[in-house]
Amino acid sequence: MTSFAIAILVFIVALIFMGVKMVPQGFAYTVERFGRYVYTLQPGLGLLVPVIYQVGRKVNMMEQVLDILPQQVITADNANVNIDGVVFYQVFDPAKASYEVANLQHAILNLIMTNLRSVCGGLELDHLLSKRDEIGVRVLTIVDEATSAWGVKVLRVEIKDIEPPQELVRAMNLQMTAERQKRAQITEAEGKKQSQILEAEGAKSAAFLRAEAREREALAEAKATQMVSQAVAQGDVQALNYFVAQKYVEALGKFADSNQQKTIFMPLDTSGLMGSIGSINELWKAMKDKT
């Protein structure tokens, strides 16, 4: 009798342990009654009636990643490329993810690969290489709508690599090199053009300044001649002597600066020159007295 009671007690304890379920964080357990889905156990401690109720599927509710295997795609301009990527998804309905599709990950991968070929096949190679984000968004929109019936939310579709054939890569490199050389030649030509324009503008400005300087010098010369003429008309001979002496000295300076003549032989009227210098001195004193 005692042994029977102990056996009954052990059986009850075993049933209790069979009915206690610990669901870890990030998971959800589906509960079945005689093979039919009844409800879902959330993370934490759950109690089941042993034998009648049992755990059906243990579903991962965290965000998961699937690798899209490399596959060959023919673009709109008949270029064969190999393309691969990754997809991020998350289960939001454990019951649908468990009972609406037989193999969830396999179904998601095949759906994405099919739509990826369809989207890439409608683009030319240049667009395919430059619009990876747009391709991912288009595939994501199609796949997310299709997988919502499975209790799955597709979060992102990322294109990892697009590999054209080697012959096409070499042709693209040659084209890129030619384009860069063309741009370099255009830039060099534009630089030369701007340099010539600036040089012409500089020469124009210099010529204008020289002409302006000559004009001012001519005006000053004319004004000096007029002043000397007025002084002579008024009977002031010293101004005339000053003017003649100035021209005399300037002529001597030009002879001295000449590269073709280093030695100058010429008669000099020393007394006349000294007289002109004396007249200049007297004219300077007269001007000081007036001021």
Side-chain angles (χ1 to χ4, degrees):
M1 184 68 180
T2 304
S3 299
F4 180 76
I6 293 174
I8 294 296
L9 181 61
V10 171
F11 178 71
I12 293 174
V13 172
L15 288 177
I16 293 174
F17 273 100
M18 290 174 60
V20 175
K21 300 297 180 181
M22 295 292 297
V23 181
Q25 184 67 36
F27 284 82
Y29 292 176
T30 61
V31 177
E32 300 174 353
R33 183 177 58 197
F34 300 118
R36 181 183 178 87
Y37 169 75
V38 180
Y39 62 91
T40 301
L41 287 177
Q42 300 299 328
L45 180 63
L47 297 176
L48 300 177
V49 177
V51 181
I52 299 176
Y53 293 91
Q54 61 181 358
V55 174
R57 307 288 177 85
K58 298 179 180 180
V59 182
N60 188 343
M61 302 295 292
M62 295 179 287
E63 183 175 340
Q64 302 179 66
V65 183
L66 290 176
D67 287 327
I68 303 174
L69 299 178
Q71 57 182 323
Q72 192 174 61
V73 176
I74 301 177
T75 63
D77 51 353
N78 296 323
N80 293 323
V81 297
N82 290 324
I83 184 170
D84 62 355
V86 292
V87 56
F88 299 83
Y89 74 96
Q90 188 173 17
V91 176
F92 66 87
D93 191 332
K96 290 183 177 180
S98 300
Y99 303 109
E100 295 294 334
V101 59
N103 189 330
L104 180 62
Q105 292 187 351
H106 183 71
I108 293 175
L109 278 178
N110 279 274
L111 186 61
I112 290 178
M113 292 171 66
T114 303
N115 286 277
L116 185 60
R117 284 195 296 266
S118 176
V119 171
C120 294
L123 298 175
E124 294 182 353
L125 180 60
D126 292 339
H127 294 161
L128 186 67
L129 295 174
S130 61
K131 295 183 178 181
R132 298 190 181 192
D133 294 339
E134 181 180 339
I135 295 172
V137 171
R138 291 175 61 179
V139 174
L140 173 63
T141 303
I142 299 172
V143 173
D144 184 49
E145 183 179 357
T147 56
S148 60
W150 302 340
V152 175
K153 175 67 176 177
V154 178
L155 303 175
R156 294 184 304 279
V157 177
E158 302 289 345
I159 305 301
K160 289 197 303 183
D161 190 22
I162 299 176
E163 183 181 354
Q166 293 299 322
E167 296 80 5
L168 191 58
V169 171
R170 285 193 293 268
M172 292 171 63
N173 289 334
L174 292 175
Q175 181 181 4
M176 181 179 61
T177 303
E179 288 293 334
R180 288 181 177 178
Q181 291 177 352
K182 178 181 177 181
R183 288 196 296 267
Q185 292 175 356
I186 292 175
T187 302
E188 183 180 0
E190 288 292 335
K192 289 182 179 179
K193 178 181 177 182
Q194 292 297 327
S195 176
Q196 291 175 356
I197 291 174
L198 293 176
E199 185 178 355
E201 290 179 351
K204 178 181 177 182
S205 299
F208 177 78
L209 293 175
R210 288 195 297 269
E212 186 177 5
R214 287 195 298 269
E215 182 181 0
R216 291 182 179 179
E217 184 179 359
L219 290 175
E221 186 75 19
K223 187 174 181 180
T225 304
Q226 183 181 4
M227 292 176 63
V228 170
S229 299
Q230 291 177 356
V232 172
Q234 294 174 2
D236 190 358
V237 184
Q238 292 180 356
L240 181 60
N241 293 334
Y242 167 74
F243 187 74
V244 173
Q246 183 183 10
K247 296 298 182 181
Y248 195 67
V249 173
E250 290 179 357
L252 288 177
K254 291 181 179 179
F255 276 115
D257 291 337
S258 176
N259 295 327
Q260 303 299 328
Q261 186 66 43
K262 299 302 181 181
T263 305
I264 302 173
F265 298 95
M266 56 184 301
L268 296 176
D269 187 357
T270 307
S271 60
L273 179 61
M274 294 301 294
S276 298
I277 295 174
S279 299
I280 294 171
N281 190 20
E282 291 178 4
L283 180 60
W284 175 253
K285 290 180 179 179
M287 291 176 64
K288 290 180 65 177
D289 293 339
K290 290 180 180 180
T291 56

